[in-house]
Amino acid sequence: VMEAVVLKGGKIRKRVALLKVIVSSITIGSGGSAGREGPIAQIGATIGSILGQVFKLDSRDVRLLVVCGLSAGIAGTFNAPLGGALFGMEVLYRGIHLLDAMPVILASVLGATVASVFLGSSPAFKVVGATTWTPSELPLYILLGAFLGLLSVLWVRIFYGIEDLFEKIPIPASLKPALGGFAVGVIGMFFLGYGVMGVGYEGVNMVLAEELTLLMLLALGAAKLMATSFTIGSGGSGGVFAPSLYIGSVSYTHLRAHETEAD
């Protein structure tokens, strides 16, 4: 999508949307560890591109429609219209003008509204109780940010390392997703019901509800990291946004629990 916006005037092949719906549904629905945000962003962007091409709009308007489609998809997935609009404008359309921002915001609001009609209006994650903080805790949040930044580097390197490993395995490309699926299934057998397989929202909600032990949190973070790497690295279709949220929430709660025990 980013390549299409920057280099191709927003033009994306029409078949991408249909194929992405099918293959992502199969990957995630069968237990593959991946997010649905990446696919719906690509699907929405493709639909926006198709509309621009059908009505023979200029490249600037086609790019804007791509951003609108992507933002609406993200907003509908998370029931977060402002989040979807900001995501699209920040990632795809940097330097956007106020006049161009209005269609993106409108598309995001409509996307979240339509999705809520069919999926309900509840937020994606359920936070139990309110979290309070004091200024003296700010250094701890700085350390937390630094730690999660380093963790993100490790996460990215493992992900691409496994992807490179699958590229080197001397078997037909059509069999590699099956091999990755087998690996995910083996990992998932030990963590059924904790969100390691599939999108993982239920696991994040369990973490937010503080229902898990320290050892389980550590195991879940490692399991989700490896399961997602095997799912997508082997050729499965899905996103890494939700798995990243899962790994980050597990890591934060793990550190927070350690801090509480120390107190």
Side-chain angles (χ1 to χ4, degrees):
V1 174
M2 295 174 68
E3 180 182 349
V5 170
V6 176
L7 302 176
K8 300 179 180 178
K11 293 183 178 180
I12 303 174
R13 291 181 296 178
K14 299 178 178 62
R15 63 184 181 183
V16 169
L18 177 61
L19 291 175
K20 202 67 177 177
V21 168
I22 297 173
V23 296
S24 297
S25 298
I26 293 173
T27 298
I28 300 172
S30 63
S33 177
R36 62 192 184 201
E37 298 77 23
I40 189 58
Q42 191 169 1
I43 292 165
T46 303
I47 293 174
S49 177
I50 291 173
L51 289 174
Q53 294 176 62
V54 168
F55 290 101
K56 302 185 184 304
L57 302 179
D58 60 42
S59 60
R60 180 179 177 279
D61 290 332
V62 174
R63 288 196 298 267
L64 181 58
L65 280 173
V66 168
V67 179
C68 288
L70 180 143
S71 300
I74 293 292
T77 299
F78 282 114
N79 191 22
L82 182 58
L86 291 175
F87 182 86
M89 290 187 289
E90 174 67 19
V91 175
L92 280 186
Y93 215 51
R94 296 181 181 182
I96 192 169
H97 300 290
L98 179 61
L99 187 62
D100 292 333
M102 295 308 297
V104 178
I105 296 172
L106 179 61
S108 298
V109 171
L110 289 174
T113 302
V114 172
S116 66
V117 171
F118 295 95
L119 303 177
S121 58
S122 60
F125 304 113
K126 301 174 183 177
V127 180
V128 180
T131 300
T132 58
W133 64 278
T134 61
S136 61
E137 294 177 342
L138 286 177
L140 296 177
Y141 292 115
I142 294 173
L143 292 175
L144 174 66
F147 171 78
L148 291 178
L150 293 173
L151 180 62
S152 68
V153 174
L154 177 65
W155 157 223
V156 169
R157 289 186 175 179
I158 292 177
F159 176 84
Y160 284 113
I162 291 179
E163 187 176 58
D164 292 339
L165 176 64
F166 272 97
E167 290 181 356
K168 296 176 182 178
I169 296 177
I171 61 174
S174 58
L175 296 180
K176 292 180 181 180
L179 182 60
F182 176 78
V184 174
V186 171
I187 296 171
M189 284 194 305
F190 299 97
F191 302 100
L192 293 175
Y194 290 98
V196 171
M197 301 176 72
V199 176
Y201 283 1
E202 68 273 25
V204 175
N205 284 322
M206 292 176 69
V207 171
L208 292 174
E210 300 182 349
E211 299 176 356
L212 305 174
T213 64
L214 285 175
L215 185 59
M216 178 60 77
L217 288 170
L218 186 62
L220 288 176
K224 189 67 175 179
L225 188 153
M226 297 305 297
T228 304
S229 298
F230 278 115
T231 297
I232 303 177
S234 64
S237 176
V240 296
F241 198 88
S244 297
L245 292 178
Y246 186 106
I247 296 168
S249 65
V250 167
S251 302
Y252 166 75
T253 308
H254 187 270
L255 290 176
R256 185 69 178 177
H258 267 304
E259 177 188 335
T260 302
E261 283 189 350
D263 292 341

